[in-house]
Amino acid sequence: MSQLHHPAGDITLAVPRHWRRRSDPARGVVLAARARELPASGLAPELVLRAVPITSGLDAWRTEATALLAGQLADFELEDAERYDLGGEEVDYRRFGHRVGDVAVVCDQWAWAFGDLGVTLTGSVAREDYLDYGDVFEEVATTVRIPGAAGWEP
């Protein structure tokens, strides 16, 4: 279980035990983890949990964030977007594709907003490996616990 210390409490999630975690992730990144085994595609599957301050609600924040991604990622394409209940909290789910060099990448991204805190979990994998990792990403998303959310325990 990995944690982020936040004034309201700790953000926690469970990642596969055999994945490597980066010891010094970038600012705003709570956790970055990669699969130890490299699939045939040559792109290591990765999970990144970010927590950022937000000044708008979930809808506006996600619209802005998606527009930013579209401007930053090569061949960005939003493939799916929906809202649903995950562990008693509303989550914004997006699946999108883009390219890293010659590799087609698929990302699953879940987003939660709590007051001025925005949290995203993004799983990235080569498109050809998505069937092997999509369920892993979803399982990790079900373990995210955020201060103030349903089921959160300090």
Side-chain angles (χ1 to χ4, degrees), residues 49-65:
L49 183 75
R50 297 181 194 283
V52 297
I54 60 173
T55 58
S56 57
L58 185 59
D59 288 332
W61 170 51
R62 298 309 300 145
T63 298
E64 293 167 12

Side-chain angles (χ1 to χ4, degrees), residues 66-89:
T66 301
L68 278 171
L69 286 172
Q72 295 172 344
L73 302 175
D75 296 334
F76 177 87
E77 182 180 343
L78 183 61
E79 299 176 3
D80 190 16
E82 60 183 292
R83 291 280 173 86
Y84 59 91
D85 181 277
L86 183 64
E89 293 296 332

Side-chain angles (χ1 to χ4, degrees), residues 58-59 62 66 81-84 90-94 109-112:
L58 185 59
D59 288 332
R62 298 309 300 145
T66 301
E82 60 183 292
R83 291 280 173 86
Y84 59 91
E90 181 180 42
V91 64
D92 180 276
Y93 167 78
R94 310 242 167 147
Q109 186 175 76
W110 293 264
W112 299 263

